[in-house]
Amino acid sequence: MIRVIITIAVAIMLSVNGLAQNRAVLLHESFDGNSIPAGWSTMGEGGNNWVVSRTNNAGGTPNEMELQFSPYFTGMARLVTPAFDMTGVSGVTFTFNHSYEHFYGSNDMGIATSSDGGVTWHECWRHTYNSSSVYHVLESIESPDMGQPNVQFCVFVDTDSHQF
């Protein structure tokens, strides 16, 4: 049996872009509980496939979020942050570690934003993965949602879950 694939490491950080002295950490999540932290949610396909794992496969310290391949799904699985007031903010830096265990084919992972409660998502970054490894993502992102008072961020996986 294939083991679960995509783990997102302990830290997801958003820091306000601007001059170095104006940077502030908006979120640093350790996933220390037994379930998805308060304010976080899942959306799309495979919503029940996201679990808190006591592992450190993504290279951080335990715990981390894990997207399991079973039950099988095809489509977009989203791990969604709480909403932030981004009034006056034009962009953020988003960073996280993740591990990907490849079976066959390819899968896409990315970052998106929403300011309407997840009805509309604006993709900010996407990468196609087709080999197993541990990865570090550090991306400056901008979207039409920046400057809004109720912005959510998500890490998404666009996949056929049998491929990872």
Side-chain angles (χ1 to χ4, degrees):
M1 182 165 119
I2 302 170
R3 201 174 102 71
V4 183
I5 324 47
I6 298 173
T7 51
I8 297 177
V10 186
I12 294 178
M13 292 184 284
L14 306 169
S15 55
V16 180
N17 282 346
L19 301 174
Q21 63 269 25
N22 291 335
R23 290 185 181 236
V25 175
L26 298 176
L27 174 67
H28 182 269
E29 183 59 65
S30 60
F31 303 111
D32 284 338
N34 293 322
S35 60
I36 294 176
W40 287 74
S41 62
T42 61
M43 295 179 114
E45 303 299 321
N48 292 329
N49 295 43
W50 290 102
V51 298
V52 174
S53 174
R54 304 282 178 247
T55 60
N56 65 341
N57 295 326
T61 56
N63 297 336
E64 55 197 6
M65 291 302 298
E66 185 174 298
L67 179 61
Q68 300 179 335
F69 74 91
S70 180
Y72 169 76
F73 69 93
T74 299
M76 188 81 66
R78 296 182 190 276
L79 178 63
V80 183
T81 70
F84 295 93
D85 183 353
M86 302 303 287
T87 304
V89 178
S90 61
V92 298
T93 300
F94 197 106
T95 183
F96 64 96
N97 293 333
H98 70 95
S99 171
Y100 176 73
E101 292 179 27
H102 178 258
F103 184 58
Y104 72 91
S106 63
N107 295 282
D108 289 357
M109 178 178 252
I111 301 166
T113 64
S114 176
S115 58
D116 61 8
V119 174
T120 307
W121 288 97
H122 296 103
E123 190 174 302
C124 303
W125 171 82
R126 178 186 284 250
H127 185 78
T128 301
Y129 294 91
N130 54 20
S131 63
S132 297
S133 192
V134 173
Y135 301 90
H136 176 74
V137 174
L138 174 63
E139 288 293 323
S140 293
I141 59 173
E142 296 178 6
S143 83
D145 298 306
M146 292 300 134
Q148 301 299 314
N150 197 30
V151 178
Q152 292 176 287
F153 298 83
C154 79
V155 174
F156 68 81
V157 181
D158 193 2
T159 188
D160 170 338
S161 71
H162 283 166
Q163 293 181 355
F164 67 78

